[in-house]
Amino acid sequence: MRGYLRWAIPAVLLFMIGSVVTACGGGGSGPGEKTPATQLFEVKSSYAAVLAAAVRYESQPRCLPDKPVVPTCSAPAIVEKLRQADKAAEAALAAADAAVAASAGDFKTAVGKAGAAVEAFGSTLSSFGIAGGVR
Amino acid sequence: MAFVLALFELVPLIVQGFSDAKEIFDWGHGVVKAAQAEGRNPTPDEEAELARRIAELRTRLHSDDV
């Protein structure tokens, strides 16, 4: 079960983010349309979910330099890559925030880029096989 | 879109042990659905809550970042 979750959880994260990115491009499908602010909120909440998984990994004790990397420790190099991916996502989200706040005509582009950056962040997690909720 | 809707049904079944991320995702999804149904933006309180959660998580992720 634990082995299954190690790949399933990152995969689900990517599905979650991918569905949000897809939904942003297609507009609303329910009774009402999603406003630009709502679309951005959706991307941000997916970002927060990815962030929670990254934090869960980072909070594990650091792997010792002379010891093998095991699932219960966090490798410094991986933590650094997660931080870089987070900074990129944060910058894209800030740009999207500004576009939505300014009611810019190209807000969808900015929100789409933010979604892509969040997806890249999630892919970074997935590439290292990080299972956020499994100890 | 049906796939997306099915995905939101499937997620709870798969991420049983992924409480942190799932909780945030579910909460955000609920806010989005309500806002969309009512044709409005998320409320200032909802925006502030999400910003607070993100800020806290980012602080923790970059806690010993130089």
Side-chain angles (χ1 to χ4, degrees):
Chain A
M1 181 65 170
R2 188 177 292 241
Y4 166 79
L5 283 174
R6 286 197 62 204
W7 64 261
I9 289 176
V12 166
L13 265 182
L14 287 177
F15 274 123
M16 288 156 67
I17 299 163
S19 68
V20 169
V21 173
T22 301
C24 283
S29 62
E33 292 293 314
K34 288 179 188 173
T35 65
T38 301
Q39 292 178 36
L40 182 54
F41 188 98
E42 192 167 33
V43 175
K44 284 180 180 177
S45 64
S46 289
Y47 166 66
V50 174
L51 203 46
V55 166
R56 177 66 67 95
Y57 178 79
E58 192 277 341
S59 66
Q60 295 175 165
R62 290 290 181 268
C63 302
L64 297 175
D66 300 330
K67 303 290 184 185
V69 175
V70 295
T72 53
C73 71
S74 61
I78 294 176
V79 169
E80 180 54 30
K81 288 196 183 299
L82 293 176
R83 287 172 174 167
Q84 289 172 7
D86 171 59
K87 288 177 180 176
E90 200 262 345
L93 284 165
D97 256 331
V100 171
S103 301
D106 61 345
F107 78 88
K108 280 197 173 184
T109 300
V111 172
K113 285 182 178 178
V118 171
E119 192 160 354
F121 189 7
S123 294
T124 301
L125 273 173
S126 177
S127 69
F128 294 119
I130 295 172
V134 177
R135 290 262 178 211
Chain B
M1 187 52 63
F3 169 77
V4 172
L5 294 175
L7 175 65
F8 285 123
E9 297 287 335
L10 186 61
V11 162
L13 297 175
I14 293 177
V15 290
Q16 292 292 330
F18 205 16
S19 56
D20 297 350
K22 181 180 181 304
E23 190 271 329
I24 291 174
F25 186 82
D26 286 348
W27 171 78
H29 181 59
V31 169
V32 167
K33 283 189 71 174
Q36 181 183 5
E38 298 169 22
R40 58 168 176 81
N41 292 333
T43 67
D45 283 350
E46 288 164 343
E47 292 276 9
E49 173 63 15
L50 182 57
R52 183 193 67 77
R53 292 186 182 208
I54 288 174
E56 179 185 334
L57 288 167
R58 294 201 78 241
T59 297
R60 289 167 62 187
L61 179 62
H62 297 273
S63 57
D64 60 354
D65 203 0
V66 292

